[in-house]
Amino acid sequence: MEAVELALPLLKRFGANLHLVHVFEPDYPLASMKAMPLIVPELEVGKRVRRHLKEVAKKYSIEWHRENIHAVKGRPFEEICRLASDCAIDLIVTATRGNTGLKHLALGSTVERIVRHAPCPVLVVRDGDREKKARRNGKSQDALSFRKILVPIDFSDCSMKGLTYAKALARQFGSKLVLLNSVALQYYVASDEYARYDFPLLLQQTEKAAREQMQELVRETDWDGIEVASSLQIGHAGQQICARAIDHDADLIVTATHGRTGLKHLLLGSTAEYIVRHAHCSVLVVPSHNRPALSSNEKH
């Protein structure tokens, strides 16, 4: 419901159509209970789900059509991403359940998998975020807007794509943009005793180069009247982004994915997924590359 409520102002702003989807996974009885009629037939489950989705649409006065109500069986992230591709969806809006620690490691996160595989941008709503912002702004929830948007920038093409989306939102909501670059050097221990580097000097030079790039970006970009501030930090990108979002009281973080997959993704992780997991506010994740459709037997 949190995701639906936050999507409503976007529908009004952009004149968008809303698709409601619920994915239910098949249930399997224990071998010793095969003779017991414990499982509700899939057709009946689908009818119940569609009825509930229609009630949600009615509750929020959402204009809906039969083709915009989806009750699907399967793995949630696979079916959501496939539906987004089949229906040419422009934006997925979803919420996190907040699983952490061992439970997160054991169960994974449907939201993180959606972020990793979605063919379109994904807006991840933080639990309780909408109500807190509405109270803070002294406005009704229907009047909620993004006052400050934090945009991580590493000067790559994909981060520029995220900035493009952030600018579009800022124009619509009259938001202030805060551009953030985090400098973090990866260094390795070599067996060559002569391979000695002045690490503090290298960090200083890297920081200077990043500062100059940020100044050039702010100076050369047409901001179309948008208020812009910039920030340069030292440290782990994900940690700095989440911390500075709190410091700047950001309502939204807009970030892009670099498109790492397979072993490289497992080893290096994903800054976007880290932000989704730890940020205090909503996060818009913009894919920077075309993603292939998921096959039904693909394992992740």
Side-chain angles (χ1 to χ4, degrees):
M1 294 307 100
E2 186 86 7
V4 173
E5 290 173 4
L6 193 136
L8 295 180
L10 298 177
L11 299 179
K12 296 177 181 178
R13 291 275 184 173
F14 296 99
N17 292 318
L18 181 66
H19 288 251
L20 296 177
V21 55
H22 177 87
V23 183
F24 57 94
E25 299 187 70
D27 293 318
Y28 298 96
L30 296 175
S32 61
M33 296 182 175
K34 284 185 178 179
M36 299 177 65
L38 298 177
I39 306 304
V40 179
E42 290 177 8
L43 181 60
E44 181 61 26
V45 173
K47 288 181 179 179
R48 292 183 183 181
V49 169
R50 279 187 286 271
R51 183 166 63 249
H52 287 310
L53 292 176
K54 291 174 184 177
E55 291 172 357
V56 170
K58 183 178 180 180
K59 175 182 177 181
Y60 292 104
S61 301
I62 300 170
E63 183 180 351
W64 63 274
H65 304 281
R66 183 179 180 84
E67 61 271 19
N68 288 27
I69 299 294
H70 308 273
V72 189
K73 182 189 75 171
R75 299 178 69 187
F77 86 94
E78 287 183 348
E79 297 306 325
I80 290 168
C81 292
R82 184 176 292 111
L83 184 64
S85 179
D86 292 345
C87 297
I89 296 298
D90 299 302
L91 177 69
I92 296 172
V93 183
T94 185
T96 60
R97 289 187 178 272
N99 291 334
T100 58
L102 183 60
K103 188 174 182 181
H104 179 274
L105 291 175
L107 300 179
S109 166
T110 296
V111 171
E112 288 172 21
R113 290 188 175 98
I114 293 172
V115 165
R116 196 179 306 165
H117 298 285
C120 63
V122 181
L123 178 59
V124 181
V125 181
R126 186 65 57 206
D127 183 36
D129 184 47
R130 195 166 187 268
E131 286 83 354
K132 286 185 290 186
K133 287 188 288 184
R135 289 196 300 268
R136 181 193 63 196
N137 296 338
K139 299 178 180 180
S140 68
Q141 293 183 17
D142 290 339
L144 182 65
S145 64
F146 301 116
R147 298 182 308 118
K148 290 183 182 178
I149 301 176
L150 183 73
V151 189
I153 298 290
D154 63 6
F155 311 109
S156 63
D157 290 341
C158 73
S159 70
M160 293 301 105
K161 188 169 183 179
L163 179 58
T164 299
Y165 273 82
K167 287 171 60 180
L169 284 172
R171 283 194 294 269
Q172 285 290 331
F173 290 97
S175 314
K176 176 181 179 179
L177 293 182
V178 179
L179 312 183
L180 172 66
N181 177 255
S182 181
V183 177
L185 293 180
Q186 295 179 344
Y187 56 94
Y188 306 90
V189 176
S191 59
D192 184 358
E193 63 178 304
Y194 298 103
R196 300 179 183 274
Y197 301 94
D198 188 340
F199 188 76
L201 178 60
L202 182 60
L203 182 61
Q204 183 180 9
Q205 292 173 341
T206 304
E207 182 181 355
K208 179 182 177 183
R211 195 176 303 279
E212 291 174 350
Q213 282 183 287
M214 182 67 79
Q215 291 172 348
E216 181 180 1
L217 174 65
V218 173
R219 183 175 60 251
E220 300 296 331
T221 302
D222 180 9
W223 297 107
D224 194 22
I226 299 171
E227 184 181 357
V228 180
S230 62
S231 176
L232 183 66
Q233 301 295 326
I234 307 296
H236 180 273
Q239 293 175 353
Q240 291 298 323
I241 291 165
C242 294
R244 300 293 80 76
I246 294 174
D247 292 346
H248 289 280
D249 197 19
D251 300 301
L252 177 70
I253 299 172
V254 178
T255 186
T257 60
H258 275 273
R260 296 189 181 107
T261 57
L263 181 60
K264 191 173 183 182
H265 179 275
L266 291 175
L267 291 175
L268 299 180
S270 165
T271 298
E273 289 172 29
Y274 182 96
I275 297 169
V276 165
R277 195 179 306 166
H278 296 284
H280 81 290
C281 61
S282 298
V283 181
L284 175 63
V285 182
V286 181
S288 60
H289 59 290
N290 294 327
R291 292 170 169 174
L294 288 168
S295 60
S296 59
N297 60 352
E298 187 172 357
K299 295 182 180 180
H300 306 278

